[in-house]
Amino acid sequence: MITAIQRVLGRRSFATAKALPGSALERFGNYGILECPLLRRRAITHDTIVFRFGLPREDDILGIGVGQHIEIVATLPSETEQNAEIRRKYTPITKVTERGHFDLLIKVYPSVLPGGQGVLSRYLYSLREGDKINIRGPIGRFNYLGKGQASFQHTNRSPQVTKTFSKICFVAGGTGITPGYQVIQAVLDDPSDKTELHLLCGNRTESDILLREELERLSKTGQLKVYHALNSPPPTPSVWQGLVGVINGTMMKEVFPTPGDDVLLTTCGPPQMNSVVVEEGSRLGFRPELIFKF
């Protein structure tokens, strides 16, 4: 098992970053394997579960930066191989300062779809408390540094951009809420960080909205504005007061601030949605270099 995983780690396809000093990921070596036991899981919608995994020590932090990811590595049966090397990236929804554990928000598919979508989530669903997963990290091309400052690369080969923003706009589709949620928590945890936050979430139905209560609580400060769009809203118009339809430029223009040199637009969700956000964002006046795809 470890041999197969080590072969995976030799073929990095994502931008890697250094683990935070003194963290669990640093102690096990940057990009090395860290085994994490499942502590518990909690269903939050009909098909989405929060999995809590433990760290080696109760006082450990995981070691990723704000907006970065970990990668789960497993050897599982696939459509073409009995022992395929499977890797998936996830952004924890716990704060990067959380100690002893981290939480992953994951959509669990009822079956594995063509192309292998859902194979790892089905594996996670099969785990019992105490079973261990193998992770590596940190991974990612985005790191929120605090007080509006973000450092990011558009591709692994593009130059690093470090810039301070007064406003950050997030577009999230489904579980694509996770990196934006992590940044939002970091901003609102720092009373001296006055960055304005605007979040547009797209989901199929009202029951699919993720982290709704948490976002409502965070938005009470007034620093965070949250907007929801549903493909299939409730049949009674008076029941749903949010936006209707798939994410589009009209919605973005309605809810986001005027683009400028100090406004960052980010997107995380299905590829088609991300493409729409980039195209429509550019049309609305967001500078291409200030539109980031997680």
Side-chain angles (χ1 to χ4, degrees):
M1 178 75 169
I2 293 299
T3 301
I5 292 172
Q6 288 171 338
R7 288 201 301 271
V8 172
L9 299 183
R11 300 199 307 270
R12 299 172 190 162
S13 59
F14 302 113
T16 50
K18 288 186 177 181
L20 297 178
S23 66
L25 285 172
E26 184 198 47
R27 195 166 64 251
F28 280 79
N30 284 296
Y31 327 123
I33 286 295
L34 175 62
E35 292 187 334
C36 300
L38 175 65
L39 300 181
R40 64 173 182 264
R41 60 185 180 188
R42 172 174 60 93
I44 62 169
T45 72
H46 64 286
D47 64 357
T48 306
I49 295 174
V50 173
F51 295 86
R52 173 162 293 184
F53 293 98
L55 295 172
R57 301 173 182 170
E58 290 186 359
D59 62 346
D60 271 337
I61 59 170
L62 179 58
I64 65 173
V66 177
Q68 294 179 341
H69 331 292
I70 55 116
E71 185 173 60
I72 297 178
V73 185
T75 301
L76 302 169
S78 72
E79 294 175 319
T80 58
E81 298 179 59
Q82 182 59 33
N83 294 299
E85 299 167 342
I86 307 297
R87 300 175 290 168
R88 296 290 187 272
K89 294 186 302 178
Y90 297 99
T91 306
I93 59 171
T94 33
K95 301 173 184 177
V96 298
T97 54
E98 193 77 33
R99 295 187 179 274
H101 65 267
F102 62 93
D103 292 351
L104 299 179
L105 175 71
I106 297 175
K107 180 176 180 177
V108 178
Y109 293 86
S111 61
V112 178
L113 303 178
Q117 187 175 16
V119 63
L120 193 59
S121 70
R122 295 300 304 170
Y123 160 70
L124 294 174
Y125 186 73
S126 73
L127 297 178
R128 298 180 178 180
E129 290 186 8
D131 289 346
K132 294 180 178 180
I133 61 170
N134 296 289
I135 71 168
R136 53 157 284 195
I139 295 170
R141 294 176 284 103
F142 183 97
N143 190 6
Y144 184 75
L145 304 175
K147 296 181 176 59
Q149 188 177 70
S151 182
F152 55 90
Q153 291 175 281
H154 289 289
T155 69
N156 292 351
R157 294 184 177 182
S158 63
Q160 192 84 14
V161 176
T162 301
K163 187 173 174 60
T164 300
F165 301 93
S166 66
K167 305 176 182 68
I168 302 179
C169 304
F170 305 91
V171 181
T175 54
I177 181 65
T178 56
Y181 183 69
Q182 195 182 92
V183 175
I184 288 167
Q185 290 184 100
V187 172
L188 298 181
D189 264 1
D190 181 359
S192 67
D193 192 333
K194 305 302 181 183
T195 309
E196 294 181 20
L197 306 168
H198 303 261
L199 171 64
L200 174 58
C201 297
N203 286 283
R204 189 172 62 85
T205 68
E206 191 170 9
S207 64
D208 293 317
I209 297 175
L210 304 175
L211 302 174
R212 188 174 188 176
E213 292 182 2
E214 291 86 346
L215 290 170
E216 288 178 353
R217 174 178 54 81
L218 292 172
S219 67
K220 289 180 179 179
T221 64
Q223 194 172 346
L224 167 67
K225 306 294 184 184
V226 181
Y227 309 90
H228 295 286
L230 299 181
N231 296 4
S232 301
T236 306
S238 61
V239 174
W240 178 248
Q241 300 299 315
L243 302 165
V244 175
V246 297
I247 300 294
N248 57 55
T250 301
M251 291 180 186
M252 293 167 60
K253 183 177 181 180
E254 179 180 344
V255 304
F256 287 158
T258 302
D261 290 345
D262 62 343
V263 182
L264 176 66
L265 173 61
T266 75
T267 181
C268 186
Q272 184 175 358
M273 187 204 81
N274 289 336
S275 297
V276 168
V277 172
V278 171
E279 181 179 345
E280 292 298 308
S282 297
R283 187 181 62 81
L284 291 171
F286 287 94
R287 291 169 49 185
E289 64 270 26
L290 301 184
I291 302 176
F292 181 81
K293 290 191 294 183
F294 279 103

